Amino acid sequence: MSETAENGPWLVAGLGNPGPGYAGNRHNVGFMVADLLAHRIGARFAVHRSRAMVAEGRLGPPGPDSRRIVLAKPMSYMNLSGGPVNAVCGYQKIPLERVVVVHDELDIDYGVLRLKRGGGDNGHNGLKSLTSTLGREYYRVRFGVGRPPGRMEVSDYVLKDFSSTERKELDYFVDRAADAVEALITDGLDRAQSAFNS
């Protein structure tokens, strides 16, 4: 099926750090959502020359209304996410208006989602790298992880695994975030915000 500007591919970039030592960290929730989306569309991640793990498939039932999506997990570490994501966009010819980034967000309570387009990086080094490389007008699915307790440094907090209490609901919240990504791509930002911006 040929692709027009309207039904061309979308890129969903889940942010995180590579390697098993980081897998359960709060900072890696973007990877978790990307992994679930890959499972849903029956795709497997493979190494790509962009320094990202990439998987491809289609959202929705077969037919003209399905959407091709490219999932990417940058393997460059969080602070350098922009290069690999930009490389995937270039290789796949995906414009900025069809880029969705899934990331952890400190200023939102745990498990709460906020969807938006554009904005600042709020001190998030992954977003800072993306914005410097891509520009700022990409879509964001912001997954709340809450603020660190007491005097804990932010860097220590986001590089720790979710607590045992948080893990009881983590699968549910990751599932909901994946639903939000799908809704954003298939229904548009306004409808997805109405459904998921709690």
Side-chain angles (χ1 to χ4, degrees), residues 83-100:
V85 173
N86 189 48
V88 176
C89 285
Y91 183 78
Q92 297 280 358
K93 298 181 172 57
I94 299 173
L96 190 57
E97 59 265 24
R98 287 204 296 272
V99 175
V100 181

Side-chain angles (χ1 to χ4, degrees), residues 29 85 129 132-133 161 165 175:
V29 73
V85 173
S129 177
S132 70
T133 309
D161 287 0
T165 301
D175 192 69

